[in-house]
Amino acid sequence: MGRFETGSPVKFFLTGQEKLINPDSELWNTPLPSNRKNTQVKSSEDNPDTITYGDYFEAAAAFIKKNNYEIILNALSYSKQEICLEQIDEIQILLVKHGQFYHPAKVVAVALNSKIPFVLNVAVSQDGIKCSENEYLTLQRLHQEIPNDLIPFVYGYGSIISKRNNLPISMFLARWFEGYNEFHISKDPADGRNKIIVWDHINGNVFISDDHATEIYRQAAMIMTFFYNIFTFEQIFPWHHAAGDFVVKITDNKPDVKLITVRQYTSLYAIENMTDCLLADSNEVFEGLLMFLAVLSIRMRLDRLDGTGNIVWADNKAVEGTIKGFMDGILIKIESNKIPGDFNHNLIDYLLSYSKDQLMELLTIVVNSFNQSAPDIMVINKNLPRHSGELYEAIRNFLAVS
């Protein structure tokens, strides 16, 4: 007999810690940091217009309990878990981290001697609240239009008003990719080289091999290309490795990559008379794909050292992985009859037609369209000439033999 018959055992934790968080905890009245770098502890008494840890956990619990736990039960049913409310022993809400838009929590339903995890993306800032509703609807749309296992499935969205100061807190429940972890560029003390390190909080952080790094970049590029609409130019944007947007799980020595956030899905270019009826060899389609590849190749190389440090530029493994993943995404579209079967051959001919100088000119135009006050612009400009040459060679080395 489940404990929900006599109460609602929703428990609060910080991830990785066993100590319960409750109203008697010192942390309860401490404001949440505004992002993962802001760890300065201040009192809510100094600024009443803040959201504290207590406000956060109370709002998360209210959301989970809403309509007799309707959303969590809906999530369990979608996850093919035949569990009713009376069979749930407790629900754990574990605050994971503090991001620019969200303070995500891992929500664990403990039932029938198993633990079923979900993610609760919680937004407390005005920008975060605006982003959360848009992301929920975008994730919902992409799953309806393109069934996939690459981005989180969503189960419910809502807004809770903080009891303490009547501030809104918005959140949505989504699939938790169990066993997947953030990865970032870090300096390996063994040889002083920058490499990808996987943040494995259970087994310990680990630097991965060059082959695994290439494979991670390949899968990330494949995911972005998979969702790119060649006719409308719609794509997932913005995204950034530094934000931990991609996660990886390494099983049997094979990396598997997922994209855990989709802030926006839109066209970055002006569309004039573009429809799904366009011919597959249309120059507009190929030009759009080349622009997409140019942006993808640059952004795939950007990260922050150890996730929060200085902007860093990935080595050439990122370029090789990007080209392979880009073409893999195109092939998936062909196999699913989204585009004609001979499309990839025409696309390859188009990409190979660009000279080294033409490619550098295009990349310069692309970078000039970026926000010039962004912190990564200096790093991009410094590395752009070399990147152009590496991208040119990668296109020829990989696509000329495809």
Side-chain angles (χ1 to χ4, degrees):
M1 183 176 293
R3 292 169 59 191
F4 275 77
E5 292 186 356
T6 56
S8 54
V10 178
K11 298 180 179 180
F12 310 132
F13 302 87
L14 298 183
T15 188
Q17 298 184 20
E18 295 182 0
K19 185 178 180 181
L20 276 169
I21 305 295
N22 56 49
D24 294 328
S25 302
E26 182 179 353
L27 196 64
W28 192 261
N29 294 314
T30 301
L32 292 173
S34 58
N35 56 60
R36 68 170 76 185
K37 294 180 71 174
N38 181 6
T39 57
Q40 183 177 2
V41 176
K42 300 177 182 178
S43 170
S44 59
E45 295 178 359
D46 298 333
N47 187 355
D49 293 328
T50 59
I51 296 297
T52 65
Y53 283 84
D55 298 330
Y56 174 96
F57 283 121
E58 285 183 341
F63 177 83
I64 294 297
K65 295 176 183 179
K66 193 174 181 180
N67 295 331
N68 202 28
Y69 298 84
E70 178 182 22
I71 291 177
I72 195 76
L73 292 174
N74 178 50
L76 287 166
S77 66
Y78 270 106
S79 303
K80 298 180 181 179
Q81 303 285 340
E82 299 298 328
I83 296 173
C84 61
L85 186 60
E86 290 74 24
Q87 293 171 314
I88 300 176
D89 294 315
E90 68 179 36
I91 293 175
Q92 301 170 354
I93 300 177
L94 303 92
L95 175 55
V96 175
K97 66 178 184 179
H98 309 286
Q100 180 181 0
F101 296 107
Y102 302 143
H103 301 262
K106 183 178 182 180
V107 175
V108 180
V110 181
L112 303 179
N113 297 317
S114 64
K115 295 183 177 181
I116 305 100
F118 303 96
V119 62
L120 185 66
N121 286 315
V122 182
V124 303
S125 67
Q126 288 185 348
D127 288 342
I129 290 171
K130 182 179 179 181
C131 181
S132 67
E133 182 176 12
N134 179 70
E135 178 160 6
Y136 175 78
L137 294 173
T138 301
L139 286 167
Q140 197 174 53
R141 171 194 168 188
L142 289 177
H143 273 288
Q144 290 171 347
E145 294 181 358
I146 321 171
N148 68 89
D149 191 42
L150 302 172
I151 56 176
F153 197 87
V154 291
Y155 307 110
Y157 171 87
S159 185
I160 302 295
I161 301 300
S162 168
K163 294 179 181 178
R164 185 177 61 87
N165 52 17
N166 293 321
L167 292 177
I169 303 175
S170 294
M171 61 199 80
F172 64 89
L173 193 71
R175 178 185 173 185
W176 174 275
F177 289 115
E178 184 67 17
Y180 289 77
N181 300 289
E182 277 192 48
F183 57 88
H184 292 286
I185 294 175
S186 181
K187 181 172 286 188
D188 188 345
D191 57 16
R193 288 178 53 210
N194 278 355
K195 302 177 183 177
I196 287 183
I197 189 170
V198 177
W199 288 359
D200 191 331
H201 300 292
I202 296 176
N203 302 310
N205 295 354
V206 59
F207 285 98
I208 62 173
S209 67
D210 288 352
D211 287 345
H212 278 180
T214 302
E215 177 62 12
I216 284 176
Y217 289 122
R218 183 196 71 80
Q219 291 188 34
M222 180 276 292
I223 290 171
M224 300 307 295
T225 308
F226 174 84
F227 287 107
Y228 175 75
N229 187 314
I230 69 169
F231 301 110
T232 65
F233 306 145
E234 288 175 296
Q235 58 191 278
I236 294 172
F237 195 88
W239 60 273
H240 206 302
H241 285 307
D245 290 352
F246 289 97
V247 292
V248 65
K249 180 179 182 179
I250 300 178
T251 306
D252 297 330
N253 206 34
K254 295 179 181 179
D256 185 58
V257 176
K258 305 289 187 186
L259 178 66
I260 61 172
T261 185
V262 179
R263 298 183 191 90
Q264 197 168 353
Y265 187 72
T266 186
S267 171
L268 301 185
Y269 320 115
I271 303 175
E272 296 181 5
N273 301 320
M274 298 294 287
T275 72
D276 285 350
C277 296
L278 280 171
L279 295 175
D281 61 352
S282 166
N283 280 339
E284 288 89 349
V285 172
F286 290 143
E287 288 171 6
L289 273 163
L290 180 55
M291 291 285 283
F292 169 78
L293 176 59
V295 174
L296 182 68
S297 70
I298 292 170
R299 299 195 68 84
M300 199 60 68
R301 301 188 77 161
L302 293 168
D303 198 355
R304 285 189 179 273
L305 194 66
D306 296 313
T308 59
N310 293 330
I311 298 288
V312 285
W313 185 258
D315 61 25
N316 200 28
K317 294 187 294 294
V319 180
E320 178 185 347
T322 297
I323 292 297
K324 291 180 178 179
F326 172 75
M327 290 308 301
D328 287 343
I330 295 297
L331 290 174
I332 292 173
K333 291 177 182 294
I334 292 173
E335 291 169 357
S336 59
N337 297 318
K338 298 291 184 183
I339 52 180
D342 61 347
F343 182 88
N344 61 321
H345 300 298
N346 296 328
L347 174 61
I348 289 171
D349 289 342
Y350 180 84
L351 295 177
L352 290 173
S353 72
Y354 263 69
S355 69
K356 185 177 292 187
D357 289 341
Q358 287 175 318
L359 188 59
M360 179 62 193
E361 182 179 354
L362 175 68
L363 287 167
T364 302
I365 292 172
V366 165
V367 173
N368 287 340
S369 72
F370 291 172
N371 179 3
Q372 298 302 298
S373 63
D376 44 20
I377 281 295
M378 289 183 61
V379 174
I380 294 172
N381 285 327
K382 177 183 176 182
N383 290 281
L384 193 63
R386 183 174 178 180
H387 173 71
S388 178
E390 291 172 340
L391 182 60
Y392 177 83
E393 292 301 324
I395 288 173
R396 267 147 184 77
N397 292 340
F398 182 69
L399 298 187
V401 296
S402 295

